């Protein structure tokens, strides 16, 4: 059988998945092709030439004799979980329309611990954001909303533990399309609704020159000076209800709330919320594309600089 082209091709269904990734060797080979799609490049000396295979998983640079594995320096580094399980997790994560909770993943893959499942999902979330992604443009609505999170561990049977609920403020940016519809989104947890929190978000999320619609909050007052076409809608006493004048933000806020409560049972620690928001944005922004997000995530996991909490 001719090897599938990693990155461009990905199993279409679960039977194909089982065929393609039948062994740990097949998974290593797939990830090697994904990571070095244009040919092996030594991570130490930069020499681009086909490597020697030093062992089942180790490759050796012909120039400097440096040995490495496909997972070294990636999100898969030092994992004790078989790559086959990682690939199955990526499959499940991306084939469930609403994603999966750590408890759900633990059950479906038969993982020994909740923590293993949680860590896998968390690392994949880190792989979902492209550092060079384009900022939003055109017409963009921006507003804040509160999310209710609980510190309860997900297995609901945890007896005798008190859980507390935290309200966390999130700022939302949504591209609105003409005549109707929404484009891409960005979300971020913020400490409060001051200019010091919302302005850096707008600058990182939205291209200057875009038309930015906000409510009357003074926090956004400097957007005009910063190169945005700032449209303020003062809600106070307005005849138009908020969900009509900021339809995009309102819609995304209700979807993200439903996702946190539904898929994740509201159980997200506030300090990890940004990673969950990254996953929501990833799903939302690909909702209409026919691409195979699992290979996008895997390739992200292999090529993005690692910077993850243990
Ligand atoms: Zn080398």
């Amino acid at each position: 059988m001719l090897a599938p082209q990693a990155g461009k091709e990905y199993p279409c269904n679960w039977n194909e998945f089982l065929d393609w990734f039948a062994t740990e060797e097949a998974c290593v080979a797939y990830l090697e092709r994904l990571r070095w799609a244009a040919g092996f490049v030594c991570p130490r000396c930069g020499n681009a030439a086909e490597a020697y295979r030093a062992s089942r998983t180790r490759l050796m640079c012909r120039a400097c004799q440096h040995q490495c594995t496909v997972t070294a320096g990636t999100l898969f580094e030092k994992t004790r979980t078989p790559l086959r399980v990682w690939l199955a997790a990526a499959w499940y994560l991306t084939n469930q329309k609403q994603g999966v909770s750590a408890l759900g993943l633990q059950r479906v893959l038969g993982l020994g611990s909740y923590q293993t499942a949680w860590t896998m999902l968390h690392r994949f979330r880190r792989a979902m954001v492209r550092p060079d992604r384009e900022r939003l443009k055109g017409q963009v609505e921006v507003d804040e909303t509160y999310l209710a999170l609980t510190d309860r561990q997900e297995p609901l049977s945890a007896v005798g533990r008190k859980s507390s609920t935290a309200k966390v403020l999130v700022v939302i940016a949504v591209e609105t399309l003409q005549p109707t519809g929404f484009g891409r989104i960005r979300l971020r947890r913020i400490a409060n609704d001051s200019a010091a929190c919302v302005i850096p978000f707008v600058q990182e999320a939205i291209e200057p020159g875009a038309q930015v619609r906000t409510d009357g909050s003074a926090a956004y007052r400097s957007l005009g000076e910063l190169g945005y076409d700032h449209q303020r809608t003062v809600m106070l006493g307005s005849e138009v209800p908020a969900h009509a004048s900021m339809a995009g933000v309102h819609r995304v806020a209700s979807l993200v709330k439903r996702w946190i409560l539904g898929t994740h049972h509201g159980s997200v620690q506030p300090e990890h919320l940004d990673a969950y928001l990254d996953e929501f944005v990833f799903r939302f922004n690909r909702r209409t594309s026919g691409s195979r997000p699992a290979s996008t995530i895997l390739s992200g996991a292999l090529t993005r600089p690692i910077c993850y909490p243990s």
Side-chain angles (χ1 to χ4, degrees):
M1 179 181 97
L2 259 185
Q5 211 182 341
K8 295 204 177 113
E9 294 175 51
Y10 191 75
C12 287
N13 56 52
W14 184 242
N15 269 330
E16 273 193 20
F17 182 96
L18 294 176
D19 282 349
W20 286 32
F21 304 127
T23 62
E24 200 64 3
E25 282 86 350
C27 299
V28 169
Y30 181 85
L31 293 179
E32 284 176 355
R33 287 192 302 274
L34 198 57
R35 179 167 180 186
W36 294 299
F40 177 79
V41 177
C42 173
R44 184 157 84 187
C45 74
N47 185 51
E50 201 185 327
Y52 292 109
R53 182 159 297 280
S55 77
R56 197 169 60 91
T57 56
R58 304 191 76 80
L59 294 168
M60 189 172 77
C61 170
R62 282 170 195 266
C64 76
Q65 268 75 58
H66 174 64
Q67 290 196 15
C68 70
T69 65
V70 68
T71 53
T74 75
L75 289 174
F76 303 112
E77 185 161 32
K78 297 199 175 97
T79 177
R80 277 173 294 159
T81 307
L83 290 176
R84 221 172 152 238
V85 176
W86 277 99
L87 291 175
W91 170 276
Y92 194 70
L93 175 65
T94 50
N95 276 277
Q96 299 295 308
K97 190 163 178 255
Q98 299 298 332
V100 59
S101 68
L103 188 61
L105 189 70
Q106 184 193 357
R107 280 183 182 148
V108 78
L109 294 182
L111 298 172
S113 84
Y114 174 84
Q115 191 56 37
T116 302
W118 189 90
T119 304
M120 292 172 91
L121 290 177
H122 204 64
R123 289 199 189 178
F124 276 138
R125 288 185 188 113
R126 302 256 152 228
M128 289 178 183
V129 178
R130 272 192 307 125
D132 59 342
R133 60 185 176 174
E134 274 186 32
R135 289 184 282 186
L136 307 185
K137 43 191 159 186
Q139 283 188 340
V140 185
E141 292 176 6
V142 179
D143 203 359
E144 311 98 44
T145 191
Y146 280 99
L147 293 183
L149 307 176
T150 162
D151 67 353
R152 183 186 55 214
Q153 278 279 310
E154 213 184 316
L156 299 173
S157 54
V159 191
R161 273 195 72 227
K162 272 193 181 169
S163 65
S164 62
T165 303
K167 287 213 154 205
V168 180
L169 192 61
V170 171
V171 59
I172 301 175
V174 184
E175 285 177 342
T176 54
L177 306 178
Q178 294 305 325
T180 59
F182 308 124
R184 296 168 301 152
I185 63 169
R186 294 281 187 269
L187 302 171
R188 182 185 293 173
R189 172 190 171 213
I190 48 174
N192 57 59
D193 62 358
S194 69
C197 291
V198 298
I199 296 298
F201 167 76
V202 169
Q203 291 187 290
E204 280 161 47
I206 307 173
E207 200 74 37
Q211 186 191 91
V212 179
R213 297 181 54 216
T214 69
D215 62 16
S217 160
Y220 296 99
R221 206 180 287 159
S222 65
L223 285 183
E225 296 157 32
L226 294 170
Y228 296 96
D229 170 13
H230 185 203
Q231 307 282 323
R232 283 173 85 195
T233 311
V234 180
M235 306 289 187
L236 197 67
S238 165
E239 294 293 302
V240 189
H243 65 264
S245 61
M246 294 281 251
V249 163
H250 189 82
R251 175 85 182 128
V252 170
S254 73
L255 288 174
V256 73
K257 282 172 192 176
R258 198 190 301 170
W259 184 70
I260 295 277
L261 272 178
T263 299
H264 300 290
H265 315 292
S267 165
V268 172
Q269 290 165 300
E271 65 269 32
H272 296 308
L273 178 63
D274 278 317
Y276 286 81
L277 296 179
D278 284 344
E279 179 182 348
F280 183 86
V281 169
F282 180 86
R283 289 181 184 284
F284 188 93
N285 289 351
R286 275 163 193 75
R287 68 201 181 282
T288 54
S289 90
S291 72
R292 302 210 150 261
S295 53
T296 306
I297 294 174
L298 293 172
S299 133
L302 290 167
T303 54
R304 226 136 279 164
I306 37 169
C307 173
Y308 51 80
S310 56

